[in-house]
Amino acid sequence: MVRAGCGEVWEVLSEVANEVLAAVRELLPDIAARAEWVDESRRLPADVVGRLTESGVFRMLQPRRYGGAECDPGLFYEVIRELSGACGSTGWVASVLGVHPWHLALFPDAAQKDVWGADPDALVCSAYAPIGRLEPVEGGFELSGKWQFSSGCDHASWALLGAMVIGAEGRPVDFLTVLVPRSDYVVNDVWDVVGMRGTGSNEIVVGQAYVPEHRVKRNYETTRLVGPGQKVNRGPLYRLPFGTIFTTAVTVPIVGTVAGCFDRYVGAMQERVRLSLGGGRFVEDPFAQVAVARASSEIDASVLQTERNVAALWDLARRGEELPMALRLRARRDQVRATERALEAIDLLFKTAGGASLARGNRIERAWRDAHAAGVHVANEPERALALYGRGVFGLPVEDTLV
């Protein structure tokens, strides 16, 4: 159960999180003004990352023991939605780099000290696909591999990488996430894509690196909601499922991007006059009115369902109660549906804007590209997640690292 006095603690931490939101809102006009530059440059400017660091975004899910806010994750996602509304790439990088302190908090305390002991503002990137190769050696493992799609890695001094332990017969025997310092890997600038161009999601290469035992976390344990870091980070935040916290972090930027586009779309269309289909003001077209209604409903549903599930899990964790699999599956179901709904909404806006949405650099065009690019992340595959929910409803066993 929650210890006496915890209510006051959470009120203070919520106040800190609200201060972060206020600081971020002051940055939004400049972030929106630089969105085209970010898109063309394929990375976030260092000063933008620095200002996000100063505002406290990257410490929202970081343990209090290392200067973090350790706040309600719902507040973190609210910040990410607003950032994404100004610039999809900025929101995506802030979300991905901002969620990693939560995962690192599940590692042994020695690993946390390695990262935050000297610099509480140290950033951690990731590439979770278990394609690295781990060979057991004395005191740890020897790691090698090449990973794609590590968002924001240019700004990080550590990386969380997925890898397989190779047994005596040359077959994988375990799947792990390992923590590696920047000195042990090379970043190759290969990110040149159609959408989310400014995320700098480049390639990480480890030729051969020693990984001590304390910088390793078993994926199986993470799925079971346990980790050595819970011995020192006892708050409810670190008893929540990776399958909710991380996957929501890759959906919220999409929803925020689309929500921001909706606001700009409404403003841009106020004075538009059709040059065909009989002319007339765009806002008086009933088909445009229906499209706006449908798009706004999809956005609202995405936000409301996501908030409901995260709040329900957070409430149970704060009370020290079990997190039922049915709720974890529902959160995963609604997370992928939030992505689907956001994409349906942006498609409606893009289509009804007509030729006005086609010019390169147009905000509607960029939001459309960004949302669809982010939508192909493995955590946003709807069929996989929806099938898991169906298995649970039918009483079948569910085994997946993203639940």
Side-chain angles (χ1 to χ4, degrees), residues 12 28 47 70 83 86 91 100 143 145 180 207 226 233 243 266 283 299 303 323 336 362 387 390:
V12 171
L28 294 181
D47 69 292
E70 199 172 318
L83 282 170
H100 293 146
L143 172 70
V180 181
V226 297
N233 298 318
V266 171
V283 296
I299 294 167
V303 173
L323 308 183
V336 293
N362 177 285

Side-chain angles (χ1 to χ4, degrees), residues 13-354:
L13 295 178
S14 295
E15 183 177 342
V16 171
N18 286 325
E19 290 174 357
V20 173
L21 180 58
V24 163
R25 283 174 174 163
E26 292 183 3
L27 303 178
L28 294 181
D30 182 59
I31 288 174
R34 299 171 74 172
E36 185 174 359
W37 185 95
V38 167
D39 189 65
E40 293 294 335
S41 302
R42 300 182 295 111
R43 59 178 44 82
L44 265 60
D47 69 292
V48 169
V49 176
R51 292 168 73 185
L52 292 175
T53 299
E54 292 172 3
S55 71
V57 172
F58 301 121
R59 289 199 192 190
M60 293 186 77
L61 303 184
Q62 189 165 314
R64 284 179 289 157
R65 298 169 53 250
Y66 289 105
E70 199 172 318
C71 72
D72 176 347
L75 297 174
F76 171 72
Y77 297 132
E78 183 178 0
V79 167
I80 297 304
R81 275 199 304 272
E82 298 223 8
L83 282 170
S84 303
C87 171
S89 289
T90 300
W92 179 273
V93 172
S95 191
V96 171
L97 295 184
V99 80
H100 293 146
W102 174 86
H103 193 190
L104 179 57
L106 303 180
F107 277 67
D109 191 38
Q112 298 173 53
K113 288 180 180 177
D114 287 346
V115 177
W116 294 317
D119 182 9
D121 286 324
L123 299 178
V124 182
C125 62
S126 73
Y128 284 120
I131 56 180
R133 182 183 180 94
L134 285 169
E135 299 282 355
V137 297
E138 184 177 354
F141 300 88
E142 191 173 84
L143 172 70
S144 60
K146 181 188 293 185
W147 295 260
Q148 294 179 306
F149 314 133
S150 184
S151 300
C153 59
D154 289 332
H155 308 285
S157 51
W158 292 81
L160 291 166
L161 303 174
M164 297 179 290
V165 179
I166 305 302
E169 297 181 356
R171 296 179 180 179
V173 296
D174 205 353
F175 296 89
L176 307 177
T177 299
V178 301
L179 177 67
V180 181
R182 182 67 179 81
S183 57
D184 284 350
Y185 61 86
V186 174
V187 174
N188 291 332
D189 185 359
V190 297
W191 185 250
D192 190 1
V193 294
V194 67
M196 286 292 179
R197 288 176 49 80
T199 62
S201 302
N202 284 310
E203 180 181 80
I204 288 180
V205 180
V206 175
Q208 193 173 58
Y210 172 68
V211 181
E213 184 71 34
H214 71 270
R215 292 185 193 158
V216 168
K217 180 79 172 63
R218 295 188 67 204
N219 291 1
Y220 176 71
E221 290 181 344
T222 302
T223 304
R224 297 187 64 193
L225 311 187
V226 297
Q230 293 172 338
K231 296 178 181 178
V232 290
N233 298 318
R234 300 178 180 275
L237 181 60
Y238 308 110
R239 289 188 280 108
L240 295 175
F242 179 89
T244 298
I245 296 298
F246 179 75
T247 62
T248 302
V250 299
T251 284
V252 167
I254 301 172
V255 177
T257 296
V258 176
C261 179
F262 179 86
D263 292 338
R264 291 189 292 269
Y265 170 94
V266 171
M269 295 300 169
Q270 290 290 338
E271 303 303 323
R272 182 182 172 192
V273 176
R274 289 194 182 278
L275 301 179
S276 59
L277 301 178
R281 294 182 64 210
F282 179 86
V283 296
E284 294 174 351
D285 182 348
F287 295 101
Q289 295 162 1
V290 169
V292 166
R294 289 187 183 281
S296 64
S297 179
E298 299 295 354
I299 294 167
D300 283 351
S302 298
V303 173
L304 291 172
Q305 283 194 306
T306 301
E307 286 185 338
R308 176 191 68 162
N309 294 326
V310 171
L313 287 164
W314 173 245
D315 186 52
L316 289 172
R318 284 186 61 182
R319 297 204 306 264
E321 297 181 13
E322 180 183 355
L323 308 183
M325 180 56 71
L327 177 55
R328 294 167 62 181
L329 287 169
R330 190 184 81 185
R332 185 78 169 94
R333 177 200 71 186
D334 293 343
Q335 171 257 319
V336 293
R337 287 293 293 129
T339 295
E340 285 191 315
R341 288 189 171 101
L343 294 179
E344 290 170 9
I346 194 67
D347 284 348
L348 273 171
L349 300 181
F350 186 83
K351 181 178 180 180
T352 57

Side-chain angles (χ1 to χ4, degrees), residues 356-372:
S357 64
L358 295 178
R360 181 167 171 77
N362 177 285
R363 289 185 173 184
I364 297 174
E365 178 261 353
R366 185 168 59 245
W368 184 83
R369 286 190 288 110
D370 285 346
H372 278 280

